[in-house]
Amino acid sequence: MQITWDQNICCHAGVCVSSLPEVFKVQDGKFIINPSAATEEEIMSVVGRCPSGALQIEHCQR
Ligand code: SF4
């Protein structure tokens, strides 16, 4: 599973970072996503609560 993040859409509400800090974190000023740090269900739940729609799940590898 791949998660994409559109920085132009993100409104920095912080839902992702506060809900799953092991997956979504800011390191050295960069937003980092580590999908292997939680289950797919946990990640899908947080992505569904992203208020701006900046987070998207890609189920197929391109
Ligand atoms: S939950 Fe969505 S809008 Fe909020 S910080 Fe994360 S990506 Fe940005």
Side-chain angles (χ1 to χ4, degrees):
M1 182 173 69
Q2 195 120 343
I3 307 166
T4 61
W5 171 68
D6 190 333
Q7 61 178 331
N8 297 316
I9 298 177
C10 175
C11 65
H12 306 285
V15 174
C16 54
V17 180
S18 59
S19 301
L20 277 181
E22 294 307 311
V23 176
F24 303 97
K25 53 177 119 184
V26 179
Q27 248 170 28
D28 299 328
K30 282 189 182 169
F31 186 55
I32 291 172
I33 302 173
N34 176 14
S36 60
T39 66
E40 285 197 13
E41 286 75 22
E42 288 173 320
I43 293 173
M44 278 161 60
S45 159
V46 171
V47 169
R49 281 186 283 129
C50 170
S52 68
L55 294 174
Q56 299 286 331
I57 291 175
E58 289 189 8
H59 293 280
C60 306
Q61 305 281 345
R62 269 181 273 168

